[in-house]
Amino acid sequence: MKRRTKIAAVSLTAALLITAGSAGAAVASGGGAAGPAMAAHPHQREAAALTGTAKLYRSAGDDITFSFDAHLAAADTKDPTKATGTFRFSHYLNGRGAWAEASVDCLLTGGKVAVVSGVITDSDLPGAKGTRVGVSVHDLGRHDRLGYSWAAVGNPADVKDLPKCVASAPFEKVKPGTGDFHVVPWHPAL
């Protein structure tokens, strides 16, 4: 009988801890069960997101890095052009190259794929400031893939009149061991 009481006490304690953890997650995600994020996805604090950093694989040894911190708030779930954040990219080979940072103006995600666009706000690449660029990511764990709007023209400064949330397919492979992109899928209320 004593053993049965201990098992019941341990089970009750575990159940209480799980319940407390769930309640804490609900509060963190938008203010409880009635919060906007809670309506469709109980553990999601935002409608969509793309975060993380990775280096692209190039056999010639190019140092190409992309970093993302893009978010769409749960309150803006019906308008992906209200996304906020930044993304940064750089490309160097033999000590020569350039970098750029863009302010996010659109974020669309579906499953493990994201497309983000933004206007370049800072860069050492001549002619790049003020240009809209787009990047796509396929979140495959440690084997992520990436694409970018200037794939066909070769230079982000040469992309002209790109609409929001447009990029090429994620055709590039990330360098082994560097893929840590994370996509939060968008679930628009239809």
Side-chain angles (χ1 to χ4, degrees):
M1 197 59 130
K2 197 174 201 183
R3 181 167 159 57
R4 192 181 251 175
T5 304
K6 280 186 179 179
I7 292 171
V10 169
S11 296
L12 177 62
T13 302
L16 289 173
L17 289 173
I18 290 168
T19 302
S22 296
V27 169
S29 69
M38 296 303 294
H41 304 281
H43 300 293
Q44 203 166 303
R45 287 187 265 175
E46 53 200 348
L50 170 59
T51 57
T53 298
K55 292 184 175 287
L56 297 188
Y57 171 76
R58 291 286 173 86
S59 60
D62 301 44
D63 182 3
I64 306 171
T65 305
F66 282 81
S67 297
F68 301 94
D69 187 20
H71 305 271
L72 179 63
D76 296 323
T77 193
K78 293 182 180 183
D79 188 356
T81 65
K82 290 191 176 181
T84 60
T86 59
F87 59 95
R88 184 178 172 98
F89 52 95
S90 61
H91 185 168
Y92 293 95
L93 180 62
N94 300 323
R96 295 178 32 172
W99 62 270
E101 182 170 291
S103 179
V104 171
D105 63 9
C106 187
L107 174 65
L108 288 171
T109 64
K112 292 292 187 175
V113 176
V115 175
V116 63
S117 64
V119 175
I120 296 176
T121 56
D122 200 8
S123 179
D124 61 355
L125 179 64
K129 282 187 187 179
T131 302
R132 176 177 289 115
V133 292
V135 183
S136 64
V137 168
H138 192 180
D139 177 6
L140 296 168
R142 300 190 63 77
H143 304 286
D144 295 337
R145 296 182 72 93
L146 185 138
Y148 37 86
S149 59
W150 59 96
V153 296
N155 185 331
D158 292 338
V159 175
K160 302 295 181 211
D161 302 321
L162 185 76
K164 293 180 181 182
C165 270
V166 172
S168 71
F171 65 96
E172 295 266 17
K173 294 179 182 178
V174 302
K175 189 174 182 179
T178 70
D180 77 344
F181 296 138
H182 179 69
V183 174
V184 173
W186 182 47
H187 299 280
L190 299 176

